[in-house]
Amino acid sequence: MKELLLGLKLLLGSGRGNRVRFLLMTVGSAIGVCCLAVVLVIPGILAAQDARKAAREPDCSNGMGRCLSVSGKGLSLTRVDPYGSEPFIRIFVALEGKPIAPPPGLRELPGPGEVIVSPRLHETLKSDPGLARLLPGKERGLISAEGLAHPDELYAYIGTTPETLKAGGHLTRFGDEYTRFPTVEPSTLDILRFTMAGVVLLPLAVFLSVCARLSAASRMRRLAALRLLGLSRKGTQRVNAAETVAAALLGAVLGLGAYWVVNQMIARIGLPGFRWYPADGSLSGPTFLACLVGCPALAWFVGLIGARKAAANPLEVRRSAVEKAPRLWGLLPLVPGLGIVTGYCVAGATGNAPSDTGLSSFLMPLAVVLVGTGLVLSLPVFSRALARRVARSTTSLSLSLAMRRNEVEPGGALRVATGLVLLVFAASLTQGVLIELDQVSKNTAPVQRYNMALDDVPSYRESALTRLPGIRSHVIEASSWADQQQTEEGPQINALIATCAQLRKIASVLENCVDGRPARLMVPGTTYDEPSKPGNRFSFHLRNAKGERRVMTVEVPQRTVRYQDELAVEMAYSGMLLIPPSTLPAGFRPAERDATLSLLSDAGPRTMLSVLGGIAEVDPTIEVEPVGVVVTSLEQITVVKTLLAVGMVLGLIIGVAAYLVAATDRAVERRSQVTALALLGARPRTLRAVQVAQVVLPLAVGLVLAVVTGKMAESSYLVTGGGAIFWDGAGLPLLVASALGVVLIAAIGALPLVGRRIDPELIRRD
């Protein structure tokens, strides 16, 4: 306890320089703890949103998800439509008999012809009145925050009659253990955790360690004096730890306060594609303890380690003995980390991309942590080796002085460079994650296709749907009849029921098509299915509006139609039958359950919204599948991209803060050495060149390693992701430009280390 009090007394009574150092440590710790709180609270925000989603889930809705009842007091039907890249969720509800307890956010369920909407949807309807076509009824109220995942959610409860919801599921209550549409899927959340660990947490640990090691040389000399005065070895370490812990603890408190302000402000403003309620971002007990205790604990550990030399060899420290060369054990984490990423890169280059995602999900985060840690620990080794070689061969006085200083003290300049090196490494890794997400979310088809089960579309509605504004064409896809009672499934064939005119509107190539004559479709680049041999006969079950059934037998013809539809989305394949609608009996359509009506329009968010609105006017409860657009996945990707951008901003803040804190500390610590060189006759220009070279050369070494290892980690991540892109050459110029920008910033930051005035008092004691 005496050592702790002594450390606090030294902290308060050691002059202005020590108080400036304490302020830097406190500010640095505050920034670090604020960034740590942001990262740790993200899973809590996502969990809070998913909990509110689960609390409003209908127990059974059109067979989607788990049905907890086969009979209930009402009917429910869920429809999810795209509004741009956002999901627009509509819950149709029809009550039968006794009322049902409403979901969170509602006082009571809407009756027939009534609609209750979210506040964001209420505002959107004012700016986009066409959206009201998806909401058959009159707005009666708003959903409160308890029933919404986030403030920007587009959500509506629509009251209707049981006759309208014949396709709905039985409803007895709202609420389930899980939600069908989580904000971020668990597998995607793993990607987010992996990236945040590399982009934020690893640089953050280094940054907090740098803050705890400020003014290391002067502090070690003071601790060595205490050791020579009779203080025990452990007591000397505790004195140093007390100073660092005091700064870290005060910084942690300030950082938590700064996080509260940031959470309140950003939650109300929102991020692109991601909003939350301020209460969701509140710190949980474990997160609060991790920030309040974790940072001082790290400072205590660093303080004990940092004072070990002064406690063991005080005379050596007081006489400023030459530091020992850094040990090669710093290369230990880098070697296995590079081994893992090299193995994945070789596997991708040879066409043997790994399929075991379970093993890769463990090895890739491990490799990133090992490579990132190895970069930090190996920089002094490489810097000293380079400084020794350059100092022996150069004839420049400035470069020789700089390299000799780096050779004697390889870790001094690297404290300034480490944060920037890790920033470039993390930027490359994040670029790989964004590439993988872009492969998943990209939809470049110029034609949008909308699929609907033909059973859900009566004949009179089919006619109305095909005449909607914006619809360029439509086809019916059906399968031949298969006897469900047979143990072995017989041969089947798929057919497109469309006219030549309908196909010409969607096909880039259509040759030899004659109206009224069946044909086989020949699609270049694909092979024929075995059942599509000419002469084979297949039966198609048909049904009319009265429920009458017929069987139509079709023989596979010899004639072929060359067809290519790269504008659409896999509309046909070789061997598929083309059946003209005129060959079907009047009023009859395919009766198979998997028969599909496909509408096609031009692509584009506004066109898609217009078509969906038109479909809703015909039948608001019909289930529509916009092919290639999984809006819940698009929302997740948008959220993940936003959070990755947050991670990159935090990484940038940490990197720049580490540089500013370490550079300021180094400027104070190097004043006596710069003054001594100035008194010996060194010109200010020479001193500035020395300072720039001392920082830029080891930083350049680190950045080269960061770019190389970062690109290897990025490529290995893409290889394990299973996408089509393994090597991102397009992103390399941006990464190199970022590295050059970092070097320029570091060079400019090194210039103020040399002032215009010479103060001999700085070296009076020496």
Side-chain angles (χ1 to χ4, degrees):
M1 191 64 184
K2 291 187 298 182
E3 293 87 353
L4 299 179
L5 294 176
L6 178 59
L8 294 178
K9 289 180 180 179
L10 291 174
L11 180 64
L12 299 174
S14 299
R16 186 179 63 179
N18 199 56
R19 287 192 291 272
V20 171
R21 177 185 61 81
F22 178 77
L23 179 62
L24 286 175
M25 292 174 63
T26 302
V27 171
S29 299
I31 295 173
V33 168
C34 184
C35 294
L36 178 63
V38 171
V39 174
L40 293 181
V41 85
I42 287 175
I45 293 175
L46 300 178
Q49 293 185 354
D50 289 345
R52 287 195 295 273
K53 287 183 178 182
R56 71 190 183 192
E57 285 284 348
D59 59 351
C60 187
S61 178
N62 195 28
M64 301 170 62
R66 296 181 301 162
C67 294
L68 302 182
S69 66
V70 295
S71 63
K73 303 173 183 178
L75 295 173
S76 176
L77 188 66
T78 300
R79 291 291 177 254
V80 182
D81 300 300
Y83 184 78
S85 60
E86 301 177 73
F88 174 27
I89 303 177
R90 297 175 295 156
I91 307 295
F92 291 87
V93 178
L95 299 182
E96 296 177 324
K98 296 181 180 180
I100 298 174
L106 269 66
R107 293 183 178 179
E108 59 180 356
L109 289 170
E114 296 178 342
V115 178
I116 301 178
V117 300
S118 63
R120 164 78 190 291
L121 181 55
H122 174 76
E123 296 299 325
T124 305
L125 287 170
K126 295 179 182 178
S127 59
D128 190 358
L131 195 61
R133 295 186 296 174
L134 296 169
L135 302 169
K138 185 178 181 181
E139 183 179 322
R140 203 197 72 182
L142 299 179
I143 306 171
S144 65
E146 291 79 7
L148 298 173
H150 54 82
D152 278 350
E153 193 170 24
L154 298 173
Y155 207 88
Y157 291 94
I158 303 171
T160 185
T161 60
E163 292 76 16
T164 308
L165 292 186
K166 292 180 179 179
H170 292 286
L171 174 68
T172 57
R173 63 179 177 84
F174 288 90
D176 200 352
E177 186 177 357
Y178 303 103
T179 175
R180 286 172 290 166
F181 309 113
T183 306
V184 178
E185 291 284 353
S187 59
T188 310
L189 191 58
D190 291 339
I191 297 175
L192 185 63
R193 290 193 184 102
F194 157 72
T195 311
M196 285 294 187
V199 174
V200 181
L201 296 183
L202 183 60
L204 182 59
V206 174
F207 172 54
L208 292 176
S209 300
V210 168
C211 291
R213 288 278 293 159
L214 294 180
S215 298
S218 60
R219 289 166 66 194
M220 290 309 102
R221 288 172 61 85
R222 189 177 62 207
L223 293 172
L226 292 175
R227 179 77 174 98
L228 292 173
L229 290 174
L231 193 63
S232 66
R233 178 178 298 186
K234 289 186 177 180
T236 303
Q237 291 179 302
R238 292 193 189 103
V239 168
N240 186 50
E243 294 184 69
T244 57
V245 167
L249 185 60
L250 179 57
V253 174
L254 294 177
L256 292 175
Y259 168 76
W260 184 86
V261 174
V262 169
N263 176 56
Q264 296 294 323
M265 181 176 62
I266 301 298
R268 287 168 170 79
I269 298 174
L271 299 172
F274 186 52
R275 286 281 305 274
W276 67 95
Y277 292 105
D280 294 344
S282 300
L283 294 173
S284 63
T287 303
F288 183 82
L289 290 177
C291 295
L292 192 61
V293 177
C295 182
L298 178 62
W300 175 268
F301 176 76
V302 173
L304 292 178
I305 298 298
R308 187 169 53 187
K309 182 178 179 181
N313 301 299
L315 285 176
E316 185 177 308
V317 172
R318 288 298 299 175
R319 293 171 179 172
S320 301
V322 177
E323 292 186 9
K324 295 181 181 179
R327 304 288 181 86
L328 294 180
W329 66 265
L331 300 174
L332 190 60
L334 190 62
V335 174
L338 285 179
I340 295 173
V341 298
T342 301
Y344 279 127
C345 289
V346 172
T350 57
N352 299 309
S355 58
D356 186 357
T357 57
L359 181 62
S360 298
S361 64
F362 168 75
L363 288 180
M364 272 310 302
L366 177 64
V368 169
V369 173
L370 288 175
V371 172
T373 306
L375 276 177
V376 176
L377 298 179
S378 62
L379 283 179
V381 178
F382 292 124
S383 176
R384 186 176 185 275
L386 178 66
R388 174 180 290 185
R389 181 177 294 273
V390 173
R392 288 176 178 175
S393 59
T394 186
T395 57
S396 169
L397 174 62
S398 302
L399 192 57
S400 178
L401 285 173
M403 293 303 99
R404 288 304 181 188
R405 168 52 59 183
N406 283 347
E407 181 183 358
V408 173
E409 189 187 2
L414 289 173
R415 288 207 311 271
V416 180
T418 300
L420 300 177
V421 169
L422 285 178
L423 179 62
V424 172
F425 173 74
S428 180
L429 187 64
T430 306
Q431 189 172 248
V433 177
L434 292 175
I435 290 171
E436 184 187 37
L437 293 175
D438 189 56
Q439 293 182 71
V440 175
S441 61
K442 186 178 293 184
N443 181 21
T444 58
V447 174
Q448 181 60 54
R449 178 178 170 188
Y450 312 85
N451 285 350
M452 289 159 278
L454 196 61
D455 274 353
D456 296 341
V457 184
S459 299
Y460 66 92
R461 285 180 177 166
E462 177 189 345
S463 177
L465 290 172
T466 57
R467 292 196 303 267
L468 287 174
I471 297 298
R472 59 189 293 178
S473 186
H474 69 279
V475 299
I476 293 177
E477 183 178 351
S479 299
S480 61
W481 179 75
D483 189 354
Q484 304 296 331
Q485 303 299 324
Q486 294 181 359
T487 56
E488 294 186 6
E489 185 177 347
Q492 287 183 275
I493 194 169
N494 288 346
L496 280 183
I497 302 174
T499 65
C500 295
Q502 289 173 308
L503 291 181
R504 286 192 182 97
K505 293 179 180 178
I506 59 175
S508 58
V509 176
L510 186 68
E511 298 175 357
N512 200 33
C513 184
V514 179
D515 281 324
R517 297 184 60 184
R520 286 184 303 160
L521 293 176
M522 182 184 68
V523 180
T526 62
T527 58
Y528 281 104
D529 284 350
E530 186 66 23
S532 65
K533 290 182 178 180
N536 286 351
R537 299 172 67 87
F538 296 93
S539 298
F540 289 84
H541 280 213
L542 308 177
R543 184 174 54 201
N544 64 8
K546 298 179 181 179
E548 299 172 348
R549 291 181 174 270
R550 287 190 185 181
V551 177
M552 183 181 72
T553 302
V554 179
E555 182 177 324
V556 180
Q558 289 280 355
R559 197 170 61 85
T560 61
V561 171
R562 188 167 181 267
Y563 174 88
Q564 194 165 351
D565 69 343
E566 67 265 9
L567 293 179
V569 185
E570 299 178 359
M571 182 65 72
Y573 53 86
S574 283
M576 201 171 187
L577 276 178
L578 173 61
I579 300 178
S582 59
T583 62
L584 273 63
F588 282 84
R589 302 185 308 167
E592 291 295 322
R593 286 178 296 177
D594 56 353
T596 302
L597 170 64
S598 295
L599 306 179
L600 295 106
S601 73
D602 293 333
R606 303 304 304 177
T607 302
M608 182 185 299
L609 188 61
S610 175
V611 170
L612 290 174
I615 295 173
E617 281 187 334
V618 176
D619 184 356
T621 65
I622 193 169
E623 183 174 6
V624 184
E625 178 194 357
V627 177
V629 179
V630 184
V631 66
T632 53
S633 298
L634 291 178
E635 183 191 34
Q636 290 187 41
I637 291 172
T638 301
V639 170
V640 171
K641 285 184 175 181
T642 299
L643 293 178
L644 288 179
V646 171
M648 283 303 299
V649 171
L650 293 178
L652 179 64
I653 292 173
I654 292 169
V656 173
Y659 171 75
L660 293 177
V661 170
T664 304
D665 175 63
R666 186 168 177 269
V668 175
E669 200 171 38
R670 293 275 292 137
R671 285 184 303 172
S672 60
Q673 298 171 5
V674 172
T675 301
L677 290 173
L679 290 176
L680 290 174
R683 293 180 300 175
R685 179 183 299 178
T686 301
L687 293 177
R688 291 190 179 93
V690 170
Q691 298 303 322
V692 171
Q694 276 185 252
V695 174
V696 167
L697 202 58
L699 177 60
V701 174
L703 290 177
V704 170
L705 286 174
V707 171
V708 173
T709 57
K711 292 303 294 182
M712 292 177 65
E714 174 194 348
S715 298
S716 59
Y717 176 81
L718 291 174
V719 168
T720 58
I725 297 176
F726 287 172
W727 322 107
D728 173 37
L732 188 59
L734 177 62
L735 201 63
V736 173
S738 301
L740 294 176
V742 166
V743 172
L744 180 62
I745 292 172
I748 295 174
L751 293 177
L753 293 177
V754 180
R756 295 180 178 273
R757 296 173 55 189
I758 298 176
D759 185 5
E761 180 65 20
L762 293 173
I763 58 172
R764 179 180 61 83
R765 293 178 180 177
D766 292 338

